Amino acid sequence: MDLKNIISKFKELFGLDGAVYTSPGRINLIGEHTDYNGGFVLPGAIDKAMVVIVKPNGTNKVRAFALDIKDESNSSEFGLEEENKPAEGWAKFIFGVAREMIKRGKTIPGFDIAVSGDVPLGAGMSSSAALESAVGFALNDQYKLGFTRQELALIGQATEHNYVGVKCGIMDQFASCLGKEGSLIRLDCRSLEYDYVPFNPKNYYLVLIDTCVPHNLAVGGEYNKRRESCERVVAAIAKDHPEVKLLRDATIDQLKAVKEQVSAEDYIRAEFVIEEIQRLLDTCEALKKDDYETVGQKMYETHEGLSKKYTVSCPELDFLNDYAKEFGVTGSRVMGGGFGGCTINLVKKDEVDKFIAKATDAYEKKFSIKPKVYHVVIGDGARKLE
Ligand code: GLA
């Protein structure tokens, strides 16, 4: 990312220097679609991030500019009342974060803001959470609002729910706000308690292969439909077990007992979630013992579940997963919400180059799309850049 260019562009647009903030995208080793079910996740912030430059402008309006968009939808001006929601998709994130802060009793005067970044869009690395977190962190710092990082993550999540339309869990915003260099975050999404799990395997790299099939979780509402399935199953189980508030609280036996009361589709989705929560716990145990073969095995199981039970994969992702398995890669799976984006691969260091060359070649031959490859570096969460 060309930070100098971003800074000089801000000055050119708004005539003054602004303060620079950044917040990263994320990976997730395992634990998918478990967050909104109160389960565990194991994400880490990455070295790809969104950057915002901000300066209060003394008015009650926001003037916003998206430096990476090349047409006239790259600028937006809006007030901060509920009815002022901007038309531009990217500006809704800025508006939403400010609105969520106002709803929490804060005053947000007008500001100028420029946005840029190198988190690939639609690749499953949470560019939107990165933007929400960068904006949240920036406004919190500029206006001395006193939100904790955890509260900023919740503000980002509420922005998705109320201004973007995706009823997401907390994983992405949490990783973006609380990420730590060299560590994954083992997050209990029910209590929001978390531990940092150092992740620096001696003999393996994490490699992302981007199918370049963009995913957009809002389109068609497929993500929200999964969440509704889980909620229906919880409601069925809770009739006999009122202590079950989320699928995290449910056992496979409790699920089996309501098999006749829920649709086959809801049943199999809930089964995936309950299994996935356990898989994450097993993976954490394996990590403690540096048992990466088991970690990898669990990743393949997650892919199988996401593809066959939760049905959030696509032919391109399945192809890359099959290819990794045939090649003998230690672990591989679709990462994030699904429906496109990346596979995350745990690859032995001495096999990385060969695997990437062969997998990308095979993928391109099959789909006539050149996939992108990203090497994962686990970095820090939201911060001000001096
Ligand atoms: C998206 C959502 C997250 C999480 C994942 C799936 O990234 O934003 O909250 O549900 O999908 O694990």
Side-chain angles (χ1 to χ4, degrees):
M1 198 172 359
D2 187 350
L3 208 54
K4 269 204 192 121
N5 181 38
I6 301 173
I7 292 169
S8 68
K9 190 81 195 176
F10 184 91
K11 190 155 189 180
E12 190 185 311
L13 284 166
F14 301 116
L16 290 164
D17 288 325
V20 188
Y21 300 86
T22 185
S23 202
R26 62 106 189 87
I27 52 120
N28 184 29
L29 187 64
I30 201 157
E32 225 58 272
H33 291 274
T34 49
D35 57 356
Y36 53 85
N37 288 296
F40 296 89
V41 288
L42 202 53
I46 54 175
D47 63 338
K48 306 209 174 326
M50 299 304 289
V51 170
V52 300
I53 309 195
V54 177
K55 178 101 191 157
N57 61 19
T59 74
N60 57 3
K61 289 247 160 53
V62 176
R63 292 188 296 174
F65 202 87
L67 299 178
D68 304 326
I69 297 178
K70 301 294 169 219
D71 58 44
E72 73 274 13
S73 72
N74 63 1
S75 76
S76 183
E77 192 171 318
F78 49 89
L80 288 172
E81 301 297 328
E82 196 61 30
E83 63 273 16
N84 300 138
K85 188 172 175 182
E88 298 77 16
W90 60 273
K92 290 190 178 107
F93 293 97
I94 302 170
F95 176 77
V97 168
R99 282 299 308 160
E100 288 299 330
M101 290 176 154
I102 293 167
K103 285 183 203 168
R104 286 159 178 77
K106 306 293 181 186
T107 302
I108 310 282
F111 54 91
D112 295 336
I113 181 167
V115 174
S116 182
D118 62 1
V119 188
L121 304 183
M125 287 182 237
S126 298
S127 50
S128 52
L131 179 54
E132 288 146 12
S133 304
V135 172
F137 196 86
L139 296 181
N140 196 38
D141 188 57
Q142 285 291 308
Y143 295 129
K144 304 285 170 249
L145 303 176
F147 290 115
T148 63
R149 284 176 183 264
Q150 205 159 305
E151 286 167 337
L152 292 176
L154 290 165
I155 284 169
Q157 183 195 25
T159 300
E160 291 281 342
H161 287 200
N162 301 327
Y163 298 94
V164 183
V166 180
K167 301 284 178 199
C168 66
I170 190 65
M171 167 166 76
D172 305 349
Q173 292 79 8
F174 203 96
S176 191
C177 289
L178 286 107
K180 184 167 146 183
E181 195 181 332
S183 287
L184 300 176
I185 309 172
R186 180 184 179 276
L187 172 64
D188 178 335
C189 300
R190 189 173 56 185
S191 66
L192 296 188
E193 280 166 16
Y194 64 98
D195 304 309
Y196 288 112
V197 180
F199 185 79
N200 189 13
K202 251 192 266 115
N203 301 321
Y204 298 86
Y205 282 134
L206 284 177
V207 177
L208 305 181
I209 304 189
D210 186 353
T211 58
C212 296
V213 176
H215 86 159
N216 181 341
L217 299 183
V219 170
E222 285 301 324
Y223 180 93
N224 293 352
K225 284 183 197 158
R226 302 297 182 286
R227 186 173 183 147
E228 286 158 17
S229 287
C230 297
E231 287 165 0
R232 280 191 294 269
V233 172
V234 166
I237 296 175
K239 282 188 204 147
D240 279 338
H241 303 279
E243 72 283 5
V244 173
K245 305 264 187 272
L246 294 158
L247 279 181
R248 156 78 180 280
D249 310 316
T251 63
I252 288 284
D253 284 343
Q254 288 169 339
L255 174 66
K256 281 187 185 151
V258 297
K259 191 160 188 171
E260 304 308 320
Q261 298 169 41
V262 298
S263 72
E265 189 178 71
D266 287 357
Y267 182 88
I268 195 116
R269 287 176 177 172
E271 186 178 69
F272 164 77
V273 170
I274 295 172
E275 288 170 351
E276 179 72 355
I277 292 172
Q278 186 55 45
R279 236 185 324 265
L280 183 141
L281 297 174
D282 296 344
T283 303
C284 288
E285 285 310 306
L287 279 175
K288 277 187 203 154
K289 298 179 207 141
D290 285 339
D291 175 4
Y292 289 98
E293 290 303 315
T294 300
V295 173
Q297 186 52 41
K298 296 288 163 198
M299 291 170 75
Y300 279 115
E301 286 172 21
T302 292
H303 186 87
E304 182 78 11
L306 286 168
S307 176
K308 304 274 160 41
K309 295 185 176 179
Y310 221 61
T311 57
V312 294
S313 188
C314 62
E316 292 84 353
L317 287 164
D318 286 343
F319 177 86
L320 284 177
N321 184 262
D322 287 342
Y323 195 90
K325 198 179 261 173
E326 263 166 47
F327 185 93
V329 164
T330 306
S332 176
R333 64 179 196 81
V334 42
M335 187 183 73
F339 309 106
C342 291
T343 58
I344 179 167
N345 303 276
L346 181 67
V347 196
K348 291 205 180 75
K349 281 186 178 169
D350 51 8
E351 289 176 355
V352 164
D353 292 343
K354 192 166 163 208
F355 168 61
I356 290 174
K358 291 199 128 197
T360 53
D361 187 50
Y363 183 84
E364 193 175 349
K365 282 206 177 98
K366 169 93 180 158
F367 296 104
S368 306
I369 305 173
K370 208 175 178 52
K372 294 195 179 113
V373 176
Y374 305 102
H375 291 268
V376 174
V377 178
I378 300 186
D380 283 323
R383 59 200 181 275
K384 186 174 185 185
L385 297 176
E386 297 306 334

